[in-house]
């Protein structure tokens, strides 16, 4: 029954659309009464276009400068850790970084896709990126506090996927380390 109702509604709407189309085509041949109306109806379009263009540029100018993308503000370059995923382990170029400074993880894979995920002590996911063969993804993250962070695979990569994890040690800032941890 619902299909018959839908069919009937469709037929009625198509008939109304066809009747409207036939009416427009039949009255369009009388251009003498149509032209003044068309000129009045379209005279506002160029002004509206330029108004919207200026409005869009103003909105873009005020919103794009607040993008969350990092920019070079003279800060020290990030710490770089190269990560290679392979079934079923992560290989890190270094397992210790400093908190409060950006870390750039350069993540790749030797075999299949892996999901590189960084977790805090309460196992809350902090950052993630894909590890793909023959491609290096870059992930920047600044660790807010010292501690041990767990790296796990987020992409099912085979039978021992659940064991694909390692730890990253985040020490205090360089000044606190040099000053004896104060």
């Amino acid at each position: 029954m619902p299909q018959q109702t839908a069919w009937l509604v469709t037929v009625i709407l198509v008939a109304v659309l066809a009747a409207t189309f036939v009416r427009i085509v039949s009255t369009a041949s009388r251009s003498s009464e149509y032209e003044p109306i068309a000129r009045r109806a379209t005279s506002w379009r160029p002004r509206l276009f330029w108004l919207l263009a200026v409005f869009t540029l103003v909105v873009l100018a005020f919103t794009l400068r607040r993008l969350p993308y990092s920019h070079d503000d003279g800060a020290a370059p990030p710490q770089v850790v190269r990560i290679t995923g392979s079934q079923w382990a992560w290989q890190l170029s270094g397992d210790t970084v400093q908190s409060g400074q950006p870390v750039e993880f350069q993540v790749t894979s030797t075999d299949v896709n892996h999901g590189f995920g960084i977790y805090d002590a309460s196992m809350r996911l902090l950052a993630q990126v894909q590890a793909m063969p023959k491609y290096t993804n870059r992930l920047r993250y600044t660790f807010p506090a010292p501690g041990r962070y767990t790296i796990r695979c987020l992409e099912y990569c085979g039978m021992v996927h659940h064991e694909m994890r390692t730890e990253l040690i985040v020490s205090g800032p360089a000044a606190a380390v040099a000053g004896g941890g104060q």
Side-chain angles (χ1 to χ4, degrees), residues 137-155:
N137 274 318
R138 288 168 169 50
L139 170 68
R140 283 197 179 189
Y141 185 75
T142 301
F143 291 92
R148 291 185 176 272
Y149 292 81
T150 303
I151 296 173
R152 298 191 67 146
C153 182
L154 302 174
E155 182 86 26

PDB file of all heavy atoms in Angstrom, residues 137-155:
ATOM      1  N   ASN A 137      54.080   9.804   7.035  1.00  0.00           N
ATOM      2  CA  ASN A 137      53.164  10.803   7.575  1.00  0.00           C
ATOM      3  C   ASN A 137      53.845  11.520   8.725  1.00  0.00           C
ATOM      4  O   ASN A 137      54.606  10.913   9.482  1.00  0.00           O
ATOM      5  CB  ASN A 137      51.870  10.141   8.085  1.00  0.00           C
ATOM      6  CG  ASN A 137      50.856   9.974   6.993  1.00  0.00           C
ATOM      7  OD1 ASN A 137      50.659  10.854   6.177  1.00  0.00           O
ATOM      8  ND2 ASN A 137      50.206   8.820   6.978  1.00  0.00           N
ATOM      9  N   ARG A 138      53.553  12.800   8.858  1.00  0.00           N
ATOM     10  CA  ARG A 138      54.127  13.585   9.934  1.00  0.00           C
ATOM     11  C   ARG A 138      53.024  13.977  10.907  1.00  0.00           C
ATOM     12  O   ARG A 138      51.983  14.474  10.501  1.00  0.00           O
ATOM     13  CB  ARG A 138      54.805  14.832   9.386  1.00  0.00           C
ATOM     14  CG  ARG A 138      56.095  14.504   8.669  1.00  0.00           C
ATOM     15  CD  ARG A 138      56.630  15.678   7.870  1.00  0.00           C
ATOM     16  NE  ARG A 138      57.975  15.550   7.354  1.00  0.00           N
ATOM     17  CZ  ARG A 138      58.489  14.558   6.673  1.00  0.00           C
ATOM     18  NH1 ARG A 138      57.779  13.512   6.437  1.00  0.00           N
ATOM     19  NH2 ARG A 138      59.723  14.565   6.237  1.00  0.00           N
ATOM     20  N   LEU A 139      53.289  13.743  12.178  1.00  0.00           N
ATOM     21  CA  LEU A 139      52.349  14.087  13.242  1.00  0.00           C
ATOM     22  C   LEU A 139      53.098  14.936  14.252  1.00  0.00           C
ATOM     23  O   LEU A 139      54.140  14.523  14.761  1.00  0.00           O
ATOM     24  CB  LEU A 139      51.813  12.814  13.910  1.00  0.00           C
ATOM     25  CG  LEU A 139      51.002  13.009  15.186  1.00  0.00           C
ATOM     26  CD1 LEU A 139      49.678  13.698  14.873  1.00  0.00           C
ATOM     27  CD2 LEU A 139      50.766  11.684  15.880  1.00  0.00           C
ATOM     28  N   ARG A 140      52.587  16.135  14.516  1.00  0.00           N
ATOM     29  CA  ARG A 140      53.194  16.995  15.537  1.00  0.00           C
ATOM     30  C   ARG A 140      52.307  17.003  16.763  1.00  0.00           C
ATOM     31  O   ARG A 140      51.092  17.175  16.669  1.00  0.00           O
ATOM     32  CB  ARG A 140      53.362  18.421  15.015  1.00  0.00           C
ATOM     33  CG  ARG A 140      54.529  18.547  14.092  1.00  0.00           C
ATOM     34  CD  ARG A 140      54.920  19.977  13.911  1.00  0.00           C
ATOM     35  NE  ARG A 140      56.077  20.042  13.035  1.00  0.00           N
ATOM     36  CZ  ARG A 140      56.760  21.131  12.821  1.00  0.00           C
ATOM     37  NH1 ARG A 140      56.428  22.249  13.406  1.00  0.00           N
ATOM     38  NH2 ARG A 140      57.801  21.109  12.024  1.00  0.00           N
ATOM     39  N   TYR A 141      52.951  16.829  17.898  1.00  0.00           N
ATOM     40  CA  TYR A 141      52.231  16.843  19.166  1.00  0.00           C
ATOM     41  C   TYR A 141      53.158  17.378  20.242  1.00  0.00           C
ATOM     42  O   TYR A 141      54.349  17.072  20.254  1.00  0.00           O
ATOM     43  CB  TYR A 141      51.743  15.427  19.533  1.00  0.00           C
ATOM     44  CG  TYR A 141      50.890  15.408  20.772  1.00  0.00           C
ATOM     45  CD1 TYR A 141      49.575  15.860  20.731  1.00  0.00           C
ATOM     46  CD2 TYR A 141      51.397  14.970  21.980  1.00  0.00           C
ATOM     47  CE1 TYR A 141      48.787  15.864  21.859  1.00  0.00           C
ATOM     48  CE2 TYR A 141      50.613  14.964  23.124  1.00  0.00           C
ATOM     49  CZ  TYR A 141      49.325  15.414  23.064  1.00  0.00           C
ATOM     50  OH  TYR A 141      48.546  15.424  24.186  1.00  0.00           O
ATOM     51  N   THR A 142      52.598  18.180  21.158  1.00  0.00           N
ATOM     52  CA  THR A 142      53.350  18.688  22.300  1.00  0.00           C
ATOM     53  C   THR A 142      52.796  18.018  23.545  1.00  0.00           C
ATOM     54  O   THR A 142      51.610  18.181  23.863  1.00  0.00           O
ATOM     55  CB  THR A 142      53.211  20.221  22.405  1.00  0.00           C
ATOM     56  OG1 THR A 142      53.690  20.810  21.197  1.00  0.00           O
ATOM     57  CG2 THR A 142      54.014  20.757  23.578  1.00  0.00           C
ATOM     58  N   PHE A 143      53.621  17.272  24.228  1.00  0.00           N
ATOM     59  CA  PHE A 143      53.185  16.570  25.434  1.00  0.00           C
ATOM     60  C   PHE A 143      53.088  17.581  26.577  1.00  0.00           C
ATOM     61  O   PHE A 143      54.057  18.292  26.864  1.00  0.00           O
ATOM     62  CB  PHE A 143      54.161  15.445  25.787  1.00  0.00           C
ATOM     63  CG  PHE A 143      54.132  14.317  24.808  1.00  0.00           C
ATOM     64  CD1 PHE A 143      54.996  14.301  23.728  1.00  0.00           C
ATOM     65  CD2 PHE A 143      53.223  13.286  24.943  1.00  0.00           C
ATOM     66  CE1 PHE A 143      54.973  13.275  22.808  1.00  0.00           C
ATOM     67  CE2 PHE A 143      53.180  12.246  24.029  1.00  0.00           C
ATOM     68  CZ  PHE A 143      54.052  12.240  22.957  1.00  0.00           C
ATOM     69  N   PRO A 144      51.940  17.653  27.241  1.00  0.00           N
ATOM     70  CA  PRO A 144      51.759  18.667  28.277  1.00  0.00           C
ATOM     71  C   PRO A 144      52.494  18.366  29.582  1.00  0.00           C
ATOM     72  O   PRO A 144      52.815  19.282  30.327  1.00  0.00           O
ATOM     73  CB  PRO A 144      50.246  18.674  28.504  1.00  0.00           C
ATOM     74  CG  PRO A 144      49.799  17.315  28.086  1.00  0.00           C
ATOM     75  CD  PRO A 144      50.737  16.882  27.001  1.00  0.00           C
ATOM     76  N   ALA A 145      52.753  17.089  29.848  1.00  0.00           N
ATOM     77  CA  ALA A 145      53.355  16.725  31.132  1.00  0.00           C
ATOM     78  C   ALA A 145      54.277  15.523  30.959  1.00  0.00           C
ATOM     79  O   ALA A 145      54.087  14.711  30.058  1.00  0.00           O
ATOM     80  CB  ALA A 145      52.257  16.390  32.133  1.00  0.00           C
ATOM     81  N   PRO A 146      55.273  15.421  31.842  1.00  0.00           N
ATOM     82  CA  PRO A 146      56.139  14.234  31.808  1.00  0.00           C
ATOM     83  C   PRO A 146      55.352  12.978  32.161  1.00  0.00           C
ATOM     84  O   PRO A 146      54.290  13.041  32.768  1.00  0.00           O
ATOM     85  CB  PRO A 146      57.187  14.524  32.895  1.00  0.00           C
ATOM     86  CG  PRO A 146      57.084  15.973  33.198  1.00  0.00           C
ATOM     87  CD  PRO A 146      55.692  16.394  32.847  1.00  0.00           C
ATOM     88  N   GLY A 147      55.891  11.843  31.759  1.00  0.00           N
ATOM     89  CA  GLY A 147      55.257  10.570  32.080  1.00  0.00           C
ATOM     90  C   GLY A 147      55.568   9.519  31.033  1.00  0.00           C
ATOM     91  O   GLY A 147      56.369   9.732  30.126  1.00  0.00           O
ATOM     92  N   ARG A 148      54.912   8.387  31.181  1.00  0.00           N
ATOM     93  CA  ARG A 148      55.040   7.301  30.218  1.00  0.00           C
ATOM     94  C   ARG A 148      53.789   7.280  29.357  1.00  0.00           C
ATOM     95  O   ARG A 148      52.678   7.224  29.883  1.00  0.00           O
ATOM     96  CB  ARG A 148      55.217   5.963  30.922  1.00  0.00           C
ATOM     97  CG  ARG A 148      56.532   5.829  31.623  1.00  0.00           C
ATOM     98  CD  ARG A 148      56.678   4.424  32.203  1.00  0.00           C
ATOM     99  NE  ARG A 148      57.983   4.267  32.802  1.00  0.00           N
ATOM    100  CZ  ARG A 148      59.071   3.860  32.149  1.00  0.00           C
ATOM    101  NH1 ARG A 148      58.975   3.558  30.874  1.00  0.00           N
ATOM    102  NH2 ARG A 148      60.216   3.742  32.753  1.00  0.00           N
ATOM    103  N   TYR A 149      53.986   7.301  28.052  1.00  0.00           N
ATOM    104  CA  TYR A 149      52.885   7.301  27.101  1.00  0.00           C
ATOM    105  C   TYR A 149      52.963   6.014  26.287  1.00  0.00           C
ATOM    106  O   TYR A 149      54.050   5.574  25.915  1.00  0.00           O
ATOM    107  CB  TYR A 149      52.963   8.522  26.188  1.00  0.00           C
ATOM    108  CG  TYR A 149      52.703   9.818  26.944  1.00  0.00           C
ATOM    109  CD1 TYR A 149      53.706  10.432  27.682  1.00  0.00           C
ATOM    110  CD2 TYR A 149      51.443  10.398  26.924  1.00  0.00           C
ATOM    111  CE1 TYR A 149      53.455  11.599  28.381  1.00  0.00           C
ATOM    112  CE2 TYR A 149      51.186  11.568  27.615  1.00  0.00           C
ATOM    113  CZ  TYR A 149      52.207  12.169  28.342  1.00  0.00           C
ATOM    114  OH  TYR A 149      51.954  13.324  29.033  1.00  0.00           O
ATOM    115  N   THR A 150      51.812   5.424  26.038  1.00  0.00           N
ATOM    116  CA  THR A 150      51.751   4.163  25.318  1.00  0.00           C
ATOM    117  C   THR A 150      51.449   4.413  23.849  1.00  0.00           C
ATOM    118  O   THR A 150      50.584   5.221  23.514  1.00  0.00           O
ATOM    119  CB  THR A 150      50.654   3.254  25.910  1.00  0.00           C
ATOM    120  OG1 THR A 150      50.920   3.068  27.306  1.00  0.00           O
ATOM    121  CG2 THR A 150      50.623   1.904  25.225  1.00  0.00           C
ATOM    122  N   ILE A 151      52.179   3.722  22.983  1.00  0.00           N
ATOM    123  CA  ILE A 151      51.925   3.771  21.545  1.00  0.00           C
ATOM    124  C   ILE A 151      51.334   2.427  21.159  1.00  0.00           C
ATOM    125  O   ILE A 151      51.911   1.376  21.447  1.00  0.00           O
ATOM    126  CB  ILE A 151      53.227   4.054  20.766  1.00  0.00           C
ATOM    127  CG1 ILE A 151      53.742   5.441  21.127  1.00  0.00           C
ATOM    128  CG2 ILE A 151      52.986   3.919  19.271  1.00  0.00           C
ATOM    129  CD1 ILE A 151      55.100   5.756  20.560  1.00  0.00           C
ATOM    130  N   ARG A 152      50.166   2.482  20.524  1.00  0.00           N
ATOM    131  CA  ARG A 152      49.474   1.261  20.115  1.00  0.00           C
ATOM    132  C   ARG A 152      49.091   1.350  18.652  1.00  0.00           C
ATOM    133  O   ARG A 152      49.000   2.425  18.085  1.00  0.00           O
ATOM    134  CB  ARG A 152      48.208   1.069  20.941  1.00  0.00           C
ATOM    135  CG  ARG A 152      48.513   0.906  22.430  1.00  0.00           C
ATOM    136  CD  ARG A 152      47.311   0.461  23.161  1.00  0.00           C
ATOM    137  NE  ARG A 152      46.990  -0.895  22.719  1.00  0.00           N
ATOM    138  CZ  ARG A 152      46.481  -1.817  23.491  1.00  0.00           C
ATOM    139  NH1 ARG A 152      46.201  -1.544  24.727  1.00  0.00           N
ATOM    140  NH2 ARG A 152      46.212  -3.011  23.027  1.00  0.00           N
ATOM    141  N   CYS A 153      48.815   0.196  18.069  1.00  0.00           N
ATOM    142  CA  CYS A 153      48.343   0.132  16.687  1.00  0.00           C
ATOM    143  C   CYS A 153      46.825   0.218  16.696  1.00  0.00           C
ATOM    144  O   CYS A 153      46.159  -0.502  17.432  1.00  0.00           O
ATOM    145  CB  CYS A 153      48.805  -1.169  16.019  1.00  0.00           C
ATOM    146  SG  CYS A 153      48.301  -1.283  14.289  1.00  0.00           S
ATOM    147  N   LEU A 154      46.286   1.110  15.864  1.00  0.00           N
ATOM    148  CA  LEU A 154      44.840   1.316  15.791  1.00  0.00           C
ATOM    149  C   LEU A 154      44.205   0.632  14.587  1.00  0.00           C
ATOM    150  O   LEU A 154      42.992   0.687  14.409  1.00  0.00           O
ATOM    151  CB  LEU A 154      44.534   2.816  15.714  1.00  0.00           C
ATOM    152  CG  LEU A 154      45.055   3.658  16.868  1.00  0.00           C
ATOM    153  CD1 LEU A 154      44.824   5.126  16.590  1.00  0.00           C
ATOM    154  CD2 LEU A 154      44.379   3.257  18.154  1.00  0.00           C
ATOM    155  N   GLU A 155      44.998   0.043  13.735  1.00  0.00           N
ATOM    156  CA  GLU A 155      44.507  -0.563  12.491  1.00  0.00           C
ATOM    157  C   GLU A 155      44.787  -2.062  12.575  1.00  0.00           C
ATOM    158  O   GLU A 155      45.924  -2.473  12.800  1.00  0.00           O
ATOM    159  CB  GLU A 155      45.251   0.046  11.304  1.00  0.00           C
ATOM    160  CG  GLU A 155      44.829  -0.453   9.967  1.00  0.00           C
ATOM    161  CD  GLU A 155      43.650   0.318   9.422  1.00  0.00           C
ATOM    162  OE1 GLU A 155      43.458   1.473   9.784  1.00  0.00           O
ATOM    163  OE2 GLU A 155      42.921  -0.276   8.615  1.00  0.00           O
TER     164      GLU A 155
END
